[in-house]
Amino acid sequence: MVKLYSSEPYRISYMNEIPGSVGTSASFILRLGQTLFSSASLLFMSLGVEFYSYTAFCYLVTIMGLVIPWSFTLALVDGYSVLVKCPIRQPGILLIIVVGDWVLSTLTLAAAASTASVVDLLLNSQGSFCPIKLCCRYRISAVMAFVSWFLSLASSLFNLYLLPSL
Amino acid sequence: MVKLYSSEPYRISYMNEIPGSVGTSASFILRLGQTLFSSASLLFMSLGVEFYSYTAFCYLVTIMGLVIPWSFTLALVDGYSVLVKCPIRQPGILLIIVVGDWVLSTLTLAAAASTASVVDLLLNSQGSFCPIKLCCRYRISAVMAFVSWFLSLASSLFNLYLLPSL
């Protein structure tokens, strides 16, 4: 109801000022970063052949398999929006993007934390379960997943900040 | 700027309708639940004496030690607000509560996921690191931490929903 009073030109100029929201070049860079770090995390984890013996590692691979297509699709949408200079401004679509980003970032965080704790346990246990080279790769994979979580969260927050002004 | 046009009586009646935001009885119940489940998680984890040999378990204990006083304090504030029928409506304080809730819920999720994955690894490894009774207690602790995360997230979302209307 309150929204009815706001003037249209003010809204449009205000909306375009938020960097990182859907359809800006900052958002495009964020999405590319998500795709890149998720792919790196997936590759570092799955090119070693032993990952499926640990639940946490399987979970990480599953989640990264969800994050990569999501981020890549939104990167394409952002790139297209920047080229044609016509960003998405439908509240419904933006809400889906915010919720999707948020759910995926939560899942990514859980996967990254699980992987990190399992790697820590494997490195510190006396039995020496994994060769040191393999464990370092698992650790790099966890760090990449944390970076991907952070970027995904940033996208979600920028879009959430834009949402009430639509 | 938009807020100036909204009429004061409308705002007050609208604000009081959101259950779960600060100063309502639903919020009081949520806070009590957070305190309860966090305490249960802490007790199930720390009354066994071996938790400090795993990083993930130490992390869970640390985070629960942060969540319990936070939730308990806000439960007291909510209880007081319900009794005197005068809820907090300063945007600054509400923002601090939303951000604090959100940070703590993120940390709780990471701790719960780490604990769950380590417990899973301990239960499934061939070496049989922990007695089955102890591992079950660790698992219950992880479940309690997940419930605490969910309640904390609910509080954060309800308050975030209230924030733009202030």
Side-chain angles (χ1 to χ4, degrees):
Chain A
M1 278 184 73
V2 179
K3 236 190 302 180
L4 295 173
Y5 298 103
S6 66
S7 59
E8 202 65 15
Y10 172 75
R11 263 180 64 200
I12 287 173
S13 67
Y14 178 65
M15 282 180 336
N16 288 340
E17 274 172 23
I18 301 175
S21 57
V22 172
T24 60
S25 49
S27 172
F28 180 64
I29 295 169
L30 276 178
R31 299 290 176 193
L32 274 192
Q34 288 162 29
T35 314
L36 199 71
F37 284 107
S38 309
S39 308
S41 175
L42 183 67
L43 288 179
F44 271 107
M45 179 58 72
S46 62
L47 285 187
V49 290
E50 287 183 49
F51 78 90
Y52 43 78
S53 51
Y54 302 105
T55 316
F57 296 170
C58 292
Y59 178 60
L60 184 76
V61 169
T62 314
I63 298 301
M64 288 304 147
L66 289 173
V67 170
I68 293 168
W70 169 267
S71 294
F72 187 65
T73 310
L74 288 175
L76 289 182
V77 170
D78 281 340
Y80 182 76
S81 298
V82 170
L83 281 181
V84 303
K85 293 189 174 52
C86 178
I88 295 173
R89 288 294 176 253
Q90 284 84 359
I93 297 177
L94 202 64
L95 187 66
I96 292 173
I97 293 177
V98 169
V99 172
D101 263 335
W102 185 81
V103 169
L104 282 179
S105 78
T106 308
L107 292 173
T108 310
L109 173 65
S114 306
T115 307
S117 61
V118 168
V119 169
D120 179 75
L121 184 64
L122 289 178
L123 275 176
N124 290 333
S125 61
Q126 304 90 333
S128 174
F129 282 99
C130 64
I132 194 84
K133 200 175 157 193
L134 209 57
C135 256
C136 277
R137 280 183 49 188
Y138 292 155
R139 192 192 274 173
I140 293 171
S141 176
V143 171
M144 297 283 167
F146 271 115
V147 175
S148 170
W149 161 67
F150 186 75
L151 294 177
S152 187
L153 184 74
S155 283
S156 181
L157 287 181
F158 283 128
N159 286 324
L160 183 69
Y161 189 68
L162 173 68
L163 199 57
S165 67
L166 289 182
Chain B
M1 276 187 74
V2 179
K3 238 191 301 179
L4 294 174
Y5 298 104
S6 66
S7 59
E8 203 66 14
Y10 171 75
R11 262 180 64 201
I12 286 173
S13 67
Y14 177 64
M15 282 179 336
N16 288 340
E17 274 171 23
I18 301 175
S21 57
V22 172
T24 61
S25 48
S27 173
F28 180 63
I29 294 169
L30 276 178
R31 297 291 175 192
L32 273 191
Q34 288 163 29
T35 313
L36 199 73
F37 284 106
S38 308
S39 308
S41 176
L42 183 66
L43 288 180
F44 271 106
M45 180 57 74
S46 62
L47 285 188
V49 289
E50 286 184 49
F51 78 90
Y52 44 78
S53 49
Y54 301 106
T55 315
F57 296 170
C58 293
Y59 178 59
L60 184 76
V61 168
T62 313
I63 298 302
M64 287 304 146
L66 289 173
V67 170
I68 293 169
W70 170 266
S71 295
F72 187 66
T73 309
L74 287 175
L76 289 182
V77 169
D78 282 339
Y80 182 76
S81 298
V82 169
L83 282 181
V84 303
K85 294 189 173 51
C86 178
I88 296 173
R89 288 295 175 251
Q90 284 83 358
I93 296 177
L94 202 65
L95 187 65
I96 292 173
I97 293 177
V98 169
V99 172
D101 262 336
W102 184 81
V103 169
L104 282 179
S105 79
T106 308
L107 293 174
T108 310
L109 173 66
S114 305
T115 307
S117 62
V118 168
V119 169
D120 179 77
L121 184 64
L122 289 179
L123 275 175
N124 290 333
S125 60
Q126 304 90 332
S128 175
F129 281 101
C130 62
I132 194 84
K133 200 176 157 193
L134 209 58
C135 257
C136 277
R137 280 182 49 187
Y138 292 155
R139 192 191 277 173
I140 294 172
S141 176
V143 172
M144 296 285 169
F146 272 115
V147 175
S148 169
W149 162 67
F150 186 76
L151 294 177
S152 186
L153 185 71
S155 282
S156 181
L157 287 181
F158 283 128
N159 286 325
L160 183 69
Y161 189 69
L162 173 69
L163 198 57
S165 67
L166 289 182

